[in-house]
Amino acid sequence: MQPTPDFDASRLARSLLRRCRQGALATLMAGSGDPYCSLVNVASHADGSPILLISRLAVHTKNILGDPRVSLMLDERAEGDPLEGARIMLSGRAEEADGSDLEIARRRYLNAHPSAEAFVNFMDFSFFLLRPTGTHLVAGFGRIVDLKPDRFLTEISDAAALLQAEQGAIDHMNADHREATNLYATRLLGAEAADWRCTGCDPDGIDLQAGSKTLRLDFPERVTSPGELRKMLVRLADEARAKP
């Protein structure tokens, strides 16, 4: 069964990567190689790769240190029958974050999970990135597709200036432009009014969150610098205000 012509598999996969905050992590048991599955909190790197903050005391971390091959299922937590909602099954390797990736992983994870501030500095906790080798997307009848990473990850090699300015932009939006953030959510994305805040921005869009609810606002075109980001956010705010 081929996907229907109006189905944008890449866009849906990217959206799930950005919006999901929990997932089922499958690892291989050290020694036996038996499959082991656990529930984990996730965030997304600037390129969309899942970020994990996990303890070395946990079984799944011990498994990763013995064999980094993992899979991660993320789903949209649809109301009603969960099997009617979209989900992706990522396969790849989990790597401990270091260097610039560690800095990005830490701030993006804490933006998505502020409560992790309570234990992020514990000696046994470390950030890991899941480096995908592919994904299996299931989104309903006629909408089942296998995708390579270049179909769902965001190119960031040309966006160093944007990533460096990301946290400042997020803080500025949440402190001084909360009205615009809420307009993005309600008028551009059709969400209910709530205390929406920005949790991340990247060349392809921005992530919004209110409590346990998450949204993804895609940009009409890529942005790679702070100046381009500012112009895009103003443009989208104007579009939102123009909507009834």
Side-chain angles (χ1 to χ4, degrees):
M1 176 63 65
Q2 294 297 315
T4 52
D6 62 338
F7 177 48
D8 190 337
S10 295
R11 182 173 184 176
L12 178 55
R14 288 194 298 267
S15 177
L16 287 170
L17 281 171
R18 300 296 185 179
R19 291 187 289 118
C20 289
R21 295 292 181 259
Q22 291 81 35
L25 176 69
T27 57
L28 298 173
M29 287 290 291
S32 67
D34 292 337
Y36 179 86
C37 191
S38 54
L39 181 66
V40 292
N41 283 339
V42 300
S44 63
H45 189 276
D47 68 0
S49 299
I51 301 168
L52 309 175
L53 175 60
I54 49 181
S55 169
R56 292 178 183 272
L57 302 178
V59 172
H60 50 227
T61 311
K62 295 176 181 178
N63 292 344
I64 287 171
L65 295 175
D67 188 331
R69 291 177 297 169
V70 300
S71 63
L72 179 69
M73 186 183 78
L74 304 173
D75 75 283
E76 63 182 350
R77 304 295 170 100
E79 294 183 5
D81 186 351
L83 293 181
E84 293 184 359
R87 62 266 191 195
I88 52 176
M89 281 66 69
L90 291 153
S91 58
R93 302 174 73 85
E95 301 177 357
E96 187 167 358
D98 58 12
S100 61
D101 277 333
L102 176 57
E103 177 186 350
I104 294 173
R106 181 185 177 93
R107 61 179 170 78
R108 290 184 67 92
Y109 189 94
L110 291 176
N111 284 336
H113 299 283
S115 62
E117 287 276 10
F119 55 85
V120 67
N121 292 320
F122 288 4
M123 294 298 293
D124 58 297
F125 276 86
S126 299
F127 287 100
F128 284 77
L129 294 177
L130 196 163
R131 304 292 191 185
T133 55
T135 191
H136 183 67
L137 169 66
V138 178
F141 184 74
R143 297 187 170 194
I144 301 175
V145 186
D146 289 322
L147 299 171
K148 293 296 184 183
D150 62 355
R151 295 280 306 279
F152 58 85
L153 293 183
T154 296
E155 178 60 53
I156 59 172
S157 62
D158 59 346
L162 177 66
L163 301 187
Q164 186 175 5
E166 179 189 16
Q167 191 61 49
I170 292 172
D171 293 342
H172 178 60
M173 288 294 296
N174 291 335
D176 300 327
H177 297 286
R178 211 57 171 266
E179 179 213 8
T181 304
N182 280 275
L183 287 175
Y184 298 153
T186 57
R187 296 195 179 181
L188 297 184
L189 297 173
E192 295 182 359
D195 188 20
W196 293 101
R197 63 187 180 89
C198 180
T199 61
C201 59
D202 57 79
D204 291 338
I206 60 172
D207 304 315
L208 306 176
Q209 189 165 320
S212 61
K213 299 178 180 178
T214 58
L215 296 171
R216 173 68 173 180
L217 178 59
D218 291 326
F219 295 149
E221 57 263 349
R222 280 172 55 85
V223 302
T224 58
S225 70
E228 291 177 357
L229 175 65
R230 183 185 63 80
K231 291 178 182 179
M232 178 61 71
L233 294 176
V234 170
R235 169 182 166 185
L236 292 173
D238 289 341
E239 290 180 8
R241 291 189 180 98
K243 282 183 171 287

